[in-house]
Amino acid sequence: MAIAELVMPKLGESIMEATILKWYKNVGDFVKIDETVLDIATDKVDSEVPSTYEGIIKEILFNVNDIVPIGTVIARIEVISAAATIAQSPTPLAQIAIPTAVAAVSTPSPIVEAPIIPTPTASVVGISAPSIPEVPYTPSAAPVIELMAKPASNRFYSPLVLNIANSEGISLSELERIPGTGNDNRVSKKDILQYVVDKKAGRIPVYQPATQQPVYIAPQPIPVVAEPIITPAAAAVVPEAVPIPSTIKPIVEAAIPPQVATPIAETTPAIAAVPVTIPEPINMPAPPTAPIMAAVQTAPFYNAPTEIAPTPITKSTPLYAATSLPVANTVIKPSGIIPDPSAIVLTGATEIVEMDRMRKLIAKHMVESKHTSPHVTSFAEADVTNMVLWREKVKKEFEQRESTKLTFTPLFIECIASVIKRFPYINCSLDGDKIILKKDINIGMATALPSGNLIVPVIKGADQMNIVGLSKAVNSLADAARNGRLKPEDTTGGTFTLTNVGSFGSLMGTPIINMPQVAIMAVGIIKKRPMVIETPEGDTIAIRHMMYLSLSYDHRIVDGSIGASFLSEVAKEFERWDVNKQWFHYL
């Protein structure tokens, strides 16, 4: 059998090595074509390496966390040919039993009569006939796949896994709940294919969110409003008899002394109600058949316990009287700040945090850039008022028509790509003592990740797209970067890089060159400032939207004259932005 070599694939122009994250196969394991063998990582993205042959793993040459150059042999596979597969495949039961049965037929013996007996292994006829219906087989219940209770929102998915999920109609929310066997619970090709098979077989349960426990809400106090019928003042002004409300009957009965038991409606005249303060007399009603105003007796309020109806609270009624509490009764919460310097206690506690793989690669790449390229940084100031006014005017219509947001980044990229055509040495790289001038303008866009790391997706052919195309490219690449859906080709081939430090509130920055490029530009925050405007009628002061630009370039190739001239032209291109620019002229 032939021995095939599995090599570290080429992942991009500037990627020269990769780190092995995890092996999915061991020595002696069988592997199919396009089956994932291992996970690798670069300073750009993570990726899966599929097998290019079908066979048995005979040798693994590198371990996990080893850094392997591109093109190096990482494993050897013993390829199984088609003829060898057929020769080594298990022989069916029918092919083994047929010669024995034929030999039995050639000799006259009672075995020939065996087809009469319902035994499927005793005759030629029994072997050739399908015996599966006669031997019922009940498969055991397949285990139900358990999905993840909490979706893995920040998990990385390789392009192969995303393509399989897209072709099988698996949504991103469903993909986030598939348990993965890869590094950091990543979903491998084997996991997604097994999930598809289990889903078609009905072994995937329908996800139901956990029932939320009821939250007890304390009842709020209901403001008490006294009814006019229970006050003596209100009873005095009513001209007609009013029946007794049932709600105040227990209170009235509680105010009657126990020794009074005979009706007194005919002997005691009604007493006019006079508004008084508490304590006050309470009117005792007559029997239920008589009106209230017909007979009332004044019962001494002082001789029996009673409940005092609460007074309605209005805005003018203070809840509490304003009193000045003594300092001794005031609870003072400690702030943790000590006024005495001698009382400070230092613990000397520290915390050691291990750098993740991407941060190590970024650190290595930045140090290599500073050690290799002599950095020079130039600064300029640009009046971007026309850009701001134009964007404010068209952004709503732009989003409605193109279904994508309009940010400042595509505006900057359009101006930069236009100026790069006049400065070819900004769009080049250095190979030893040879300068390689790039004809394609591929602008990288530095993007911050939720993990705090940085990645630079590349907008290829930026000079060939208008504002609409650049906006769609910028938004799609930024979204893919933040959700871990970038492909290896999305981060390679860049010839110039733009970083927006103003999105984090910085006025300016001194960025580090993204090798093998020779220049990188940083744009700061846009701020309103009073500026002197020169006009034919004279100078005037106006409020303008201003922004600082900075350009770091490799002094081995780009001198100060070229770098400063390029930066000044970019600033002028920003200022010359047409406030009446038609962005839908392509229709």
Side-chain angles (χ1 to χ4, degrees):
M1 298 183 184
I3 300 295
E5 295 180 341
L6 181 65
V7 300
M8 180 67 70
K10 184 177 181 180
L11 301 175
E13 179 183 0
S14 61
I15 299 176
M16 305 304 297
E17 59 188 15
T19 304
I20 297 178
L21 296 181
K22 181 179 180 180
W23 284 97
Y24 291 100
K25 298 294 182 179
N26 299 319
V27 176
D29 292 347
F30 180 80
V31 62
K32 299 180 181 179
I33 297 179
D34 293 334
E35 185 178 0
T36 302
V37 179
L38 72 157
D39 286 343
I40 61 175
T42 66
D43 57 346
K44 304 294 183 181
V45 293
D46 298 348
S47 183
E48 297 177 349
V49 177
S51 174
T52 54
Y53 303 95
E54 181 176 354
I56 299 175
I57 302 291
K58 284 298 181 181
E59 187 178 6
I60 293 179
L61 304 179
F62 293 93
N63 299 322
V64 176
N65 296 327
D66 288 349
I67 300 177
V68 183
I70 300 300
T72 305
V73 179
I74 56 178
R76 290 186 174 90
I77 302 175
E78 183 179 2
V79 181
I80 299 179
S81 60
T85 303
I86 296 176
Q88 293 185 358
S89 60
T91 307
L93 178 62
Q95 297 181 4
I96 299 175
I98 284 176
T100 306
V102 171
V105 173
S106 61
T107 355
S109 66
I111 302 177
V112 182
E113 302 298 332
I116 302 176
I117 303 173
T119 312
T121 58
S123 68
V124 179
V125 180
I127 294 173
S128 59
S131 60
I132 296 177
E134 300 178 6
V135 183
Y137 171 71
T138 304
S140 59
V144 178
I145 305 301
E146 295 184 0
L147 299 181
M148 298 174 60
K150 183 179 181 181
S153 56
N154 294 328
R155 188 166 57 180
F156 170 79
Y157 301 101
S158 66
L160 179 61
V161 171
L162 293 176
N163 291 334
I164 296 176
N166 186 28
S167 61
E168 296 294 340
I170 299 176
S171 61
L172 181 60
S173 59
E174 186 178 1
L175 187 62
E176 291 176 346
R177 298 190 179 276
I178 299 178
T181 59
N183 188 37
D184 296 333
N185 295 327
R186 284 174 48 189
V187 177
S188 63
K189 176 184 175 183
K190 179 181 178 181
D191 297 332
I192 187 69
L193 292 179
Q194 184 63 38
Y195 179 81
V196 172
V197 173
D198 294 336
K199 184 177 181 180
K200 293 180 180 179
R203 294 193 292 269
I204 302 299
V206 179
Y207 173 73
Q208 295 180 354
T211 305
Q212 185 177 6
Q213 296 295 332
V215 180
Y216 173 75
I217 301 176
Q220 300 297 328
I222 301 175
V224 180
V225 180
E227 299 183 8
I229 190 63
I230 66 174
T231 60
V237 297
V238 177
E240 57 182 0
V242 180
I244 300 174
S246 60
T247 57
I248 66 172
K249 184 175 181 181
I251 299 176
V252 176
E253 291 179 354
I256 300 174
Q259 62 273 16
V260 180
T262 58
I264 54 175
E266 298 180 359
T267 61
T268 306
I271 300 176
V274 179
V276 293
T277 57
I278 296 175
E280 60 183 357
I282 297 179
N283 296 330
M284 183 183 67
T289 56
I292 291 178
M293 301 301 296
V296 180
Q297 178 187 3
T298 303
F301 179 76
Y302 315 101
N303 298 333
T306 182
E307 296 181 4
I308 302 176
T311 305
I313 298 175
T314 60
K315 293 183 178 179
S316 60
T317 305
L319 295 178
Y320 300 97
T323 58
S324 59
L325 297 177
V327 179
N329 295 337
T330 305
V331 179
I332 301 177
K333 296 182 179 180
S335 61
I337 302 175
I338 302 175
D340 186 8
S342 61
I344 300 298
V345 178
L346 300 179
T347 62
T350 59
E351 181 181 1
I352 300 176
V353 179
E354 183 71 20
M355 295 173 63
D356 59 9
R357 181 194 54 81
M358 179 171 282
R359 176 49 54 188
K360 292 179 181 178
L361 294 173
I362 293 174
K364 179 182 177 182
H365 190 63
M366 294 296 99
V367 171
E368 181 183 358
S369 177
K370 293 292 288 186
H371 286 176
T372 304
S373 303
H375 282 55
V376 178
T377 305
S378 298
F379 299 91
E381 190 176 29
D383 184 351
V384 294
T385 304
N386 289 348
M387 273 189 177
V388 174
L389 296 179
W390 180 82
R391 177 179 173 271
E392 289 296 327
K393 182 174 63 175
V394 305
K395 67 178 183 179
K396 291 184 178 179
E397 182 184 0
F398 186 94
E399 184 174 358
Q400 291 176 357
R401 175 176 291 194
E402 303 298 337
S403 299
T404 187
K405 291 184 178 181
L406 179 63
T407 62
F408 284 105
T409 301
L411 279 64
F412 299 153
I413 292 177
E414 180 178 326
C415 295
I416 293 173
S418 176
V419 179
I420 283 180
K421 294 180 179 179
R422 306 196 294 268
F423 294 85
Y425 280 86
I426 296 294
N427 198 62
C428 70
S429 62
L430 186 64
D431 184 12
D433 56 354
K434 296 179 181 179
I435 299 175
I436 304 174
L437 300 178
K438 305 294 182 66
K439 301 302 180 181
D440 296 328
I441 299 178
N442 304 330
I443 297 181
M445 176 185 61
T447 305
L449 300 178
S451 61
N453 293 321
L454 185 70
I455 198 167
V456 185
V458 178
I459 302 173
K460 299 180 179 178
D463 59 324
Q464 304 176 24
M465 289 185 282
N466 58 7
I467 288 296
V468 176
L470 289 173
S471 297
K472 292 181 178 179
V474 167
N475 294 335
S476 62
L477 286 175
D479 181 71
R482 295 187 182 100
N483 292 280
R485 297 197 301 266
L486 282 177
K487 302 176 182 178
E489 57 268 20
D490 293 335
T491 58
T492 59
T495 59
F496 186 85
T497 299
L498 171 69
T499 176
N500 188 354
V501 298
S503 60
F504 303 101
S506 296
L507 286 175
M508 63 184 72
T510 56
I512 299 177
I513 300 171
N514 184 19
M515 293 183 60
Q517 302 170 18
V518 298
I520 179 174
M521 177 176 288
V523 293
I525 189 174
I526 300 175
K527 277 188 169 293
K528 292 181 181 180
R529 293 204 304 271
M531 301 298 296
V532 176
I533 306 298
E534 297 179 356
T535 63
E537 293 78 14
D539 296 344
T540 182
I541 297 178
I543 303 299
R544 308 294 291 178
H545 293 81
M546 305 301 295
M547 181 178 66
Y548 288 110
L549 310 178
S550 57
L551 178 72
S552 296
Y553 45 92
D554 189 346
H555 211 328
R556 296 179 300 172
I557 302 175
V558 182
D559 292 331
S561 59
I562 298 178
S565 300
F566 171 78
L567 183 62
S568 299
E569 286 299 319
V570 171
K572 293 178 182 178
E573 196 74 16
F574 286 1
E575 294 175 349
R576 287 195 294 260
W577 188 269
D578 186 6
V579 73
N580 298 316
K581 182 182 180 67
Q582 298 295 326
W583 55 271
F584 49 86
H585 59 83
Y586 64 93
L587 296 177

PDB file of all heavy atoms in Angstrom, residues 275-280:
ATOM      1  N   PRO A 275     -68.693  70.107  62.398  1.00  0.00           N
ATOM      2  CA  PRO A 275     -67.326  69.633  62.152  1.00  0.00           C
ATOM      3  C   PRO A 275     -66.447  69.890  63.362  1.00  0.00           C
ATOM      4  O   PRO A 275     -66.323  71.017  63.816  1.00  0.00           O
ATOM      5  CB  PRO A 275     -66.849  70.449  60.966  1.00  0.00           C
ATOM      6  CG  PRO A 275     -68.038  71.200  60.463  1.00  0.00           C
ATOM      7  CD  PRO A 275     -69.092  71.158  61.512  1.00  0.00           C
ATOM      8  N   VAL A 276     -65.891  68.843  63.878  1.00  0.00           N
ATOM      9  CA  VAL A 276     -64.984  68.935  65.020  1.00  0.00           C
ATOM     10  C   VAL A 276     -63.752  68.111  64.720  1.00  0.00           C
ATOM     11  O   VAL A 276     -63.729  67.324  63.783  1.00  0.00           O
ATOM     12  CB  VAL A 276     -65.669  68.434  66.322  1.00  0.00           C
ATOM     13  CG1 VAL A 276     -66.792  69.348  66.737  1.00  0.00           C
ATOM     14  CG2 VAL A 276     -66.159  66.999  66.142  1.00  0.00           C
ATOM     15  N   THR A 277     -62.762  68.251  65.521  1.00  0.00           N
ATOM     16  CA  THR A 277     -61.541  67.454  65.375  1.00  0.00           C
ATOM     17  C   THR A 277     -61.654  66.217  66.228  1.00  0.00           C
ATOM     18  O   THR A 277     -62.485  66.128  67.124  1.00  0.00           O
ATOM     19  CB  THR A 277     -60.330  68.285  65.821  1.00  0.00           C
ATOM     20  OG1 THR A 277     -60.531  68.701  67.154  1.00  0.00           O
ATOM     21  CG2 THR A 277     -60.148  69.519  64.938  1.00  0.00           C
ATOM     22  N   ILE A 278     -60.786  65.251  65.969  1.00  0.00           N
ATOM     23  CA  ILE A 278     -60.783  63.991  66.717  1.00  0.00           C
ATOM     24  C   ILE A 278     -60.286  64.259  68.127  1.00  0.00           C
ATOM     25  O   ILE A 278     -59.269  64.942  68.305  1.00  0.00           O
ATOM     26  CB  ILE A 278     -59.903  62.961  66.026  1.00  0.00           C
ATOM     27  CG1 ILE A 278     -60.474  62.627  64.660  1.00  0.00           C
ATOM     28  CG2 ILE A 278     -59.773  61.693  66.859  1.00  0.00           C
ATOM     29  CD1 ILE A 278     -59.601  61.710  63.862  1.00  0.00           C
ATOM     30  N   PRO A 279     -60.945  63.748  69.185  1.00  0.00           N
ATOM     31  CA  PRO A 279     -62.127  62.862  69.166  1.00  0.00           C
ATOM     32  C   PRO A 279     -63.414  63.618  68.873  1.00  0.00           C
ATOM     33  O   PRO A 279     -63.549  64.764  69.210  1.00  0.00           O
ATOM     34  CB  PRO A 279     -62.134  62.273  70.574  1.00  0.00           C
ATOM     35  CG  PRO A 279     -61.474  63.309  71.405  1.00  0.00           C
ATOM     36  CD  PRO A 279     -60.438  63.971  70.558  1.00  0.00           C
ATOM     37  N   GLU A 280     -64.362  62.960  68.268  1.00  0.00           N
ATOM     38  CA  GLU A 280     -65.623  63.560  67.866  1.00  0.00           C
ATOM     39  C   GLU A 280     -66.749  62.565  68.081  1.00  0.00           C
ATOM     40  O   GLU A 280     -66.519  61.355  68.109  1.00  0.00           O
ATOM     41  CB  GLU A 280     -65.556  63.968  66.392  1.00  0.00           C
ATOM     42  CG  GLU A 280     -65.302  62.796  65.478  1.00  0.00           C
ATOM     43  CD  GLU A 280     -65.161  63.250  64.032  1.00  0.00           C
ATOM     44  OE1 GLU A 280     -65.315  64.446  63.765  1.00  0.00           O
ATOM     45  OE2 GLU A 280     -64.925  62.392  63.174  1.00  0.00           O
TER      46      GLU A 280
END
